Amino acid sequence: MISTLDQVIIGIYLTGTVAVGILCKGRQSNTKDYFLAGGRMGSFFQSLLVGLSLAATMFSGISLLAFPSVVYSEGIGMMLGILTLPGMYFILRYWFLPPYLHADLSHPYEIIERKLGPQMRTVAAGMFMLLRLGWMAALIYAPTVAILAVAGLPDSWFWPLILVVGLSSTLYTTIGGIRGVIVTDAIQFVVIAMAIVLTLGLILFRIPASLGQIFSFLSEKELLHMVDVSPDPRKVFTVWSVCIGWTISRCGQYMADQMSLQRYLASKDVRSASRSFLINVLGAMGITGFLVFIGLAVRAWYHFAPDGNLPKDVDMIFPYFVATQLPTGISGLFLAAILAATVSSMSSGINALAATVTLDFRNRIWRRSSPRGDLWFARVISAVTGTAATIAAGFVGNLGSIFDITQSVLGVFLGPLFGCMYFAIGNRRIRKGALFVGLATGFGVGVWITFSVVASIWVAAAACFTTIGVTYAGSIRMPNHHPIDMRKELPCEKVS
């Protein structure tokens, strides 16, 4: 059971998060202020906040549960993913951000409409909505079930926990807008980092074995084997699956997901957006590394200190360890960190979905009202979106492996979306009809991979490459030597 002190820590954290999110809303006179913070977050401190916010958004409560669990059973293969992040920075800095931020956009997917047409923007926005609604429902459900299990709470606590997590996120996001989301996300990243570092330190201090014994055990179980060049697509972590599958999935998150794109547009220019992304890269590398070490440490712990009550579900082993082995107060801090990661990702999803409904659909289909009217509508949609995702979380069924479900859900949609953004940023002329077919085919291939024996880490890459390949094949008779100059196609703004 969770102690009274742990309950107090969790309660103070949730209350403080809502208060900070509301108090940091800043000036809001129109939807640009609400969704993009007016595009004015360009100072070093603001770039730091944006970078930490981006890192916190990508590390949901599912990540904190899934990463140690995967390492516990599979070993440190995912460490290769950390090594791909610096390369991703250069791709984003020199290929993606200059044309994207030169375009002077008022909404993330506006560039798709300018380059590929309004119908393609509608398709992309629809795919994003389906992606994030399902993702947010799973996002709330998985940590709630874990907390119920490790705290020994009865099933009657399920809906109260679902509602507390979902509606608290909805409340401060609805009022605070993207500025409130960014500030609270940055704070939550600090909470997550503190909890992870403290947990790893306590495990290493209290484990009944020397470092030499731990290393020997992990080596014997082949859990320290990072480089696996096997071509078998059924294996989760190989050099090929991580360097190709994982990288494409991350590219989709950072270059096609509105939750990331909003933060770039909130930055003042390419330099500040790049600085924020670099901070995100450093934060993501650090957090992922610590989670990998925690997974190894927990595996060693239960080898040298066996527990007959250890859960059979590998996804529940780490939460069980937190509840039964960490001291009072520290366990509460870590459970608060799980909620912090959940709330930060939830708030970002709500804001991005509200922006999609407001700017991708409502303002393009119906006659626009005054800036204040648009702002009021955006807030209402934020509240409705968050409430809908919260209710949906209560009806999410068996998720299976947390890692697999997140890779599949994200990959099925983000793979085709990244393919679409690839054509929106690039200069190759294509047939729009071919891109429609490519998106549909990529989505279908992603679904097929999801239900096949192929590892879920390949879903995004397969969907993306199929989208691009089918689109190119359908456009093969078009002239190749008429590149579109983005500086002529799109309104330019001087970028420092």
Side-chain angles (χ1 to χ4, degrees), residues 77-89:
M78 70 161 50
M79 286 286 285
L80 285 173
I82 297 178
L83 303 179
T84 67
L85 287 173
M88 204 170 298
Y89 166 80

Side-chain angles (χ1 to χ4, degrees), residues 29-47:
S29 58
N30 52 47
T31 52
K32 186 173 183 180
D33 291 333
Y34 189 73
F35 291 126
L36 303 178
R40 295 184 296 269
M41 301 194 72
S43 70
F44 177 81
F45 179 70
Q46 289 170 329
S47 296

Side-chain angles (χ1 to χ4, degrees), residues 80 228-250 403-416 442-467:
L80 285 173
D228 184 351
V229 296
S230 170
D232 188 349
R234 296 171 297 178
K235 287 190 173 185
V236 179
F237 294 115
T238 65
V239 170
W240 318 114
S241 67
V242 173
C243 293
I244 300 175
W246 183 286
T247 298
I248 294 298
S249 178
R250 284 299 182 95
F403 180 82
D404 286 340
I405 196 67
T406 52
Q407 289 299 306
S408 297
V409 170
L410 291 174
V412 161
F413 293 101
L414 281 180
F443 175 81
V445 169
V447 172
W448 176 76
I449 295 285
T450 297
F451 294 100
S452 71
V453 297
V454 177
S456 60
I457 198 171
W458 283 105
V459 172
C464 178
F465 291 145
T466 299
T467 298

